[in-house]
């Protein structure tokens, strides 16, 4: 679907960027709402780009991260609905299957200014309310204060990831996060989150899919352990994939 903004004064004023996202054969335009986060959170969850009511809503980027010709947030977060196949982020549920991640381990995210590719390194399920246990507030990690802030975020993403992908990461890598609702655990207000890092100028936009494996130890949350068991047995993924992390962890 291609959404046109050139001839709409309202859209020209309200929306400064129109981005594209593709993953697993899916393509959709998303919008970045620069001025009104409440509008983004409530209005465009159930309206299309032309302000028409649409229960499926639109994909939009977090307002805290500015996208420009020469700037991107440290971590661009895209939000979208995930209910039935016609909804914007419905295809993301397929990433809970190992074969799907191996089929499409790279995301294309193209802005008005640049065409970008990102290698997926984490896919996880997370609670958003503390009634189920400690909350990992991934949605507020838009720009990292320093390397420690970055490492703390990466460690949480990797501890919780369903997979180890073999993708290396280093401080300064630009991240892309896709966030959508998930009902597979039976708990309310859950999120499925996919995190990827931008392909660097000196590397190929490919992933060695033979290195993508499902982890034996996955960090969830208290309510999940009480319902399903399988408590987290500790960090088993290869921390050397994150440059400088072993020194940081001591």
């Amino acid at each position: 679907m291609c959404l046109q903004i050139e001839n709409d004064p309202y859209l020209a004023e309200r929306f400064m960027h129109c981005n594209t996202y593709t993953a697993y054969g899916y393509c959709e335009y998303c919008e970045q709402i620069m001025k009104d986060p409440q509008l983004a959170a409530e209005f465009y969850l159930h309206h299309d780009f032309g302000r028409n009511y649409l229960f499926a809503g639109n994909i939009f980027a977090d307002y805290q991260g500015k996208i420009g010709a020469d700037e991107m947030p440290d971590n661009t977060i895209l939000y979208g609905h995930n209910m039935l196949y016609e909804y914007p982020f419905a295809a993301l549920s397929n990433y809970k299957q190992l074969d799907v991640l191996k089929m499409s381990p790279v995301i294309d995210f193209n802005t008005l200014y640049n065409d970008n590719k990102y290698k997926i390194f984490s896919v996880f399920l997370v609670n958003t309310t503390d009634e189920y246990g400690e909350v990992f507030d991934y949605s507020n990690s838009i720009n990292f204060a320093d390397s420690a802030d970055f490492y703390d975020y990466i460690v949480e993403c990797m501890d919780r990831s369903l997979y180890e992908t073999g993708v290396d990461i280093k401080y300064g890598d630009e991240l892309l996060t896709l966030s959508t609702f998930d009902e597979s655990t039976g708990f309310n207000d859950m999120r499925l989150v996919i995190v990827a890092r931008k392909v660097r100028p000196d590397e190929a936009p490919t992933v060695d899919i033979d290195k993508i494996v499902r982890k034996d130890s996955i960090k969830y949350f208290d309510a999940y352990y009480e319902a399903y068991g399988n408590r987290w047995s500790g960090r088993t993924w290869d921390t050397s994939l994150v440059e400088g992390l072993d020194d940081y962890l001591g």
Side-chain angles (χ1 to χ4, degrees), residues 195-230:
V195 189
R197 64 100 170 144
K198 188 177 179 180
V199 172
R200 304 178 192 124
D202 59 347
E203 68 175 346
T206 56
V207 172
D208 185 350
I209 62 173
D210 291 334
K211 293 183 178 180
I212 301 176
V213 296
R214 192 171 184 93
K215 287 167 52 189
D216 294 325
S217 178
I218 301 169
K219 185 176 182 180
Y220 288 105
F221 46 95
D222 292 342
Y224 182 93
Y225 301 137
E226 292 172 4
Y228 301 106
N230 298 321

Side-chain angles (χ1 to χ4, degrees), residues 3 9 15 38 52-54 56 83 90 99 113 120 127 142 150 153-154 180 186 194 197 207 214 245-246:
L3 301 168
F15 307 113
Q38 192 70 20
N52 303 304
Y53 179 80
L54 180 68
M83 294 175 281
D99 290 343
Y113 313 103
I120 296 172
N127 56 306
I142 308 298
F150 176 81
Y153 179 78
I154 296 298
T180 191
I194 298 175
R197 64 100 170 144
V207 172
R214 192 171 184 93
L245 179 59
D246 287 336

Side-chain angles (χ1 to χ4, degrees), residues 34-138:
M34 302 297 291
K35 300 178 181 178
D36 192 339
Q38 192 70 20
L39 180 66
E42 297 181 2
F43 188 80
Y44 276 90
L45 280 175
H46 297 297
H47 289 78
D48 64 19
F49 202 78
R51 294 170 291 152
N52 303 304
Y53 179 80
L54 180 68
F55 188 76
N58 250 321
I59 301 169
F60 58 90
D62 196 294
Y63 75 99
Q64 299 174 87
K66 185 176 181 181
I67 298 175
D70 300 311
E71 62 180 327
M72 291 286 286
D74 295 338
N75 182 18
T76 300
I77 303 181
L78 304 183
Y79 301 93
H81 272 304
N82 175 18
M83 294 175 281
L84 305 178
Y85 289 105
E86 69 269 21
Y87 283 40
F89 267 0
L92 297 189
S93 290
N94 294 314
Y95 276 95
K96 288 181 285 188
Q97 303 173 40
L98 178 62
D99 290 343
V100 172
L101 178 57
K102 287 189 172 186
M103 184 186 305
S104 299
V106 177
I107 299 171
D108 292 327
F109 176 55
N110 304 327
T111 72
L112 288 174
Y113 313 103
N114 297 291
D115 294 346
N116 307 302
K117 294 182 181 293
Y118 298 78
K119 297 183 179 184
I120 296 172
F121 65 83
S122 178
V123 178
F124 62 89
L125 296 170
V126 65
N127 56 306
T128 60
T129 59
D130 56 15
E131 66 176 300
Y132 297 136
E134 182 181 359
V135 174
F136 170 36
D137 190 14
Y138 69 94

